[in-house]
Amino acid sequence: MIPTVQATRIDERTHSRFTSGPAIVLYLALAKLLLHLLTAARYGIFRDEMYYLACSEHLAWGYVDHPPMNVFIAWFARQVFGDSPLGLRLLPAIAGTALVWMTGKLAREMGGGRFAQALAALAVVPVPIYLILQHWLTMNAFEPILWMTCLWCVIRAINRPDPRYWFWFGVLTGLGLEAKYSIAFLAFGVLIGVVVGPERRFLKSGWLWSGMLVGAIIALPNFLWQWQHNFPFLELIHNVRMSNRDIIRGPVSFIADQAAIMNPILLPLWASGLLWLFFAREGRRYRVLGWTYVVLLTAFMIAGGKNYYVVPIYPILFAAGAVGFEWITTWRATWSRTVYVIAILIVGALLIPIACPVLSPENYIRYQAALHIQPPASEHQNNGVLPQYFADEFGWEEMVQQVARVYSALSPQERAHTAIFCNSWGEAAAIDFYGPRYGLPKAISKHNNYWYWGPRDYTGDIVIVLGSDGSGDRAHFQSVEAVGQVRHPYSRRDEHFTIWLCRGLNQNLQSLWPTMKNFG
């Protein structure tokens, strides 16, 4: 065991169990949990959450735009907790809580005492992007805790040293691939760090390779699904690139975005953590983690990834920075500890309403204007008065109500063969989620996974069309009638559209369906 870890144990014995480092970390984790639970139902259901629930009615080992794990989690959450906002968002909130706890644990494992553990855990709480992503049931909520558990195995393998931890690193990587493919970048970064550092001795270990083999076996079902369906995920990525939907940042802007979405007051902490890993005497022991971050950042910039793709890695830099800060201030400038903690609390309190739905939409708009803060965007979208992450929680049930009004105005004979066709999976998922309470059938759509689920038994005789400007519909139907408007003041502006009632498709929908695929 390294000397700094021994010092940590001595430091902790000078405090009671209620004021020790792990205890403070636990208090901070519970505070984050409480924040998420109190705001879980503040707005509405998020677009992606409804989509995962729709996918959970078609359980499979793969999907066009994501691996299966989050769909299984959505299925489990709905079965156990129901589909209320709180029920759906309980597990993501717990994942955010676990991330705070694990970050403190990482600092402790790297030799941090009570202050380092508490500072590292505190840093996670007011991170805007974590508050956003761990508010919803999406794959992004679970990704950081998976990554940090993988890196905890790396640190344990270095500290003990015990190669068996590399086995669990491989297993967790395999699980991560069933949640989100981007964990492959983490594994690649760790591999580079191992190759260029003293950890390359582990490359001779059977534990590492057996772990990677087990991880590959865990990920195999999803790979086989993608292969059997001609790799639709790669087709989707290609189409997204060709559409110029995503905002591609240059290196300087990409790094500046990291500082913004991770909370600017935390930049000194994670930047110094990176320096500590590369240059400090004790930190160099974990240099593989520094290389992992550098490889990840570089890879996502080269690949044109979104600015938030890197965020799961930052807790390890928080932990490293907190350990280095604690060591530097042990004998001098101890006042800087108090000053920095107070600064984090103040700036964090100011930014929490920007990332967490603690305010009404009206007050949020006024608050954002008063602070002159514009969250960095990752996609070209017309979001309206709210940022995309809030705008996508508004207007869905109102849209379904408008569709139900049109549908119920038809005769019973017409309703029996009227399809609700949505040009986007977001609209289709909203119909499927809210529709049963308004007597609507399941939606059909050509978009992503909905295309695989087909047109059901509809022929196109009567179709209610959503998300269209009507021009294409007039070319394919005998009659096209505007029957409603979808307009919510807080929804995304690209979700403002006319509802069309179309009759007499010029070709049977069943035979037309294979040509309608839209992966993007």
Side-chain angles (χ1 to χ4, degrees), residues 247-258 300-302 304-305 307:
I247 296 175
I248 305 300
R249 301 289 203 189
V252 175
S253 298
F254 193 90
I255 295 173
D257 280 358
Q258 303 305 300
F300 281 125
M301 286 193 294
I302 293 173
N307 53 22

Side-chain angles (χ1 to χ4, degrees), residues 401-424:
Q401 290 170 347
Q402 289 293 317
V403 175
R405 178 186 58 79
V406 174
Y407 185 80
S408 62
L410 300 172
S411 68
Q413 294 77 16
E414 290 176 314
R415 289 198 297 267
H417 52 94
T418 296
I420 302 174
F421 178 84
C422 304
N423 279 280
S424 166

Side-chain angles (χ1 to χ4, degrees), residues 32-33 67 87 92 124 131 157 164 170 217 237 294 374 433 441 469 488-489:
K32 182 173 171 64
L33 176 64
V124 175
L131 291 172
R164 288 177 294 182
I217 293 172
I237 294 298
V294 170
Q374 188 66 36
F433 183 79
D469 62 5
H488 192 284

Side-chain angles (χ1 to χ4, degrees), residues 193-353:
V194 166
V195 169
V196 301
E199 290 77 25
R200 52 180 175 270
R201 67 186 184 277
F202 289 117
L203 294 175
K204 301 177 182 178
S205 170
W207 288 105
L208 179 121
W209 298 110
S210 61
M212 299 305 291
L213 176 61
V214 172
I217 293 172
I218 293 172
L220 183 61
N222 178 246
F223 174 82
L224 292 176
W225 186 94
Q226 288 283 337
W227 178 63
Q228 291 167 356
H229 293 80
N230 297 316
F231 294 96
F233 182 76
L234 297 181
E235 181 180 344
L236 176 140
I237 294 298
H238 172 77
N239 292 342
V240 168
R241 290 290 175 83
M242 293 299 100
S243 70
N244 294 316
R245 183 199 70 182
D246 294 345
I247 296 175
I248 305 300
R249 301 289 203 189
V252 175
S253 298
F254 193 90
I255 295 173
D257 280 358
Q258 303 305 300
I261 63 180
M262 294 304 299
N263 190 333
I265 196 65
L266 299 173
L267 172 60
L269 184 63
W270 61 259
S272 63
L274 184 62
L275 295 175
W276 185 79
L277 291 171
F278 276 110
F279 302 111
R281 182 172 60 86
E282 295 295 351
R284 286 196 299 267
R285 182 182 184 87
Y286 311 106
R287 189 178 293 178
V288 58
L289 306 175
W291 281 116
T292 301
Y293 173 79
V294 170
V295 170
L296 275 168
L297 185 70
T298 304
F300 281 125
M301 286 193 294
I302 293 173
K306 293 182 181 180
N307 53 22
Y308 65 84
Y309 285 179
V310 192
V311 301
I313 194 66
Y314 282 97
I316 196 67
L317 298 186
F318 290 160
V323 174
F325 186 33
E326 181 182 59
W327 183 82
I328 290 173
T329 57
T330 299
W331 300 284
R332 59 183 182 274
T334 55
W335 54 268
S336 60
R337 295 184 177 187
T338 302
V339 170
Y340 191 52
V341 168
I342 291 175
I344 292 175
L345 293 173
I346 292 174
V347 176
L350 288 172
L351 291 182
I352 280 176

Side-chain angles (χ1 to χ4, degrees), residues 72-264:
F72 297 156
I73 294 173
W75 178 89
F76 175 82
R78 179 178 242 175
Q79 299 302 313
V80 176
F81 307 118
D83 56 13
S84 68
L86 180 59
L88 293 176
R89 292 166 177 171
L90 177 60
L91 293 178
I94 293 174
T97 302
L99 182 63
V100 176
W101 173 78
M102 177 57 77
T103 305
K105 191 174 180 66
L106 289 167
R108 186 172 187 264
E109 191 63 33
M110 286 192 286
R114 186 175 74 145
F115 174 75
Q117 295 169 47
L119 178 60
L122 173 64
V124 175
V125 177
V127 172
I129 193 65
Y130 292 159
L131 291 172
I132 293 169
L133 297 179
Q134 290 158 358
H135 173 63
W136 309 311
L137 178 56
T138 72
M139 52 193 171
N140 296 312
F142 304 97
E143 190 179 24
I145 185 61
L146 271 171
W147 284 32
M148 289 306 104
T149 307
C150 286
L151 295 186
W152 179 80
C153 291
V154 173
I155 296 174
R156 295 282 285 192
I158 294 171
N159 280 350
R160 292 309 176 254
D162 188 341
R164 288 177 294 182
Y165 285 105
W166 286 107
F167 174 84
W168 294 111
F169 174 84
V171 171
L172 290 167
T173 300
L175 288 172
L177 286 170
E178 295 285 14
K180 193 173 180 183
Y181 299 128
S182 55
I183 200 171
F185 287 89
L186 175 74
F188 178 67
V190 170
L191 176 62
I192 295 299
V194 166
V195 169
V196 301
E199 290 77 25
R200 52 180 175 270
R201 67 186 184 277
F202 289 117
L203 294 175
K204 301 177 182 178
S205 170
W207 288 105
L208 179 121
W209 298 110
S210 61
M212 299 305 291
L213 176 61
V214 172
I217 293 172
I218 293 172
L220 183 61
N222 178 246
F223 174 82
L224 292 176
W225 186 94
Q226 288 283 337
W227 178 63
Q228 291 167 356
H229 293 80
N230 297 316
F231 294 96
F233 182 76
L234 297 181
E235 181 180 344
L236 176 140
I237 294 298
H238 172 77
N239 292 342
V240 168
R241 290 290 175 83
M242 293 299 100
S243 70
N244 294 316
R245 183 199 70 182
D246 294 345
I247 296 175
I248 305 300
R249 301 289 203 189
V252 175
S253 298
F254 193 90
I255 295 173
D257 280 358
Q258 303 305 300
I261 63 180
M262 294 304 299
N263 190 333

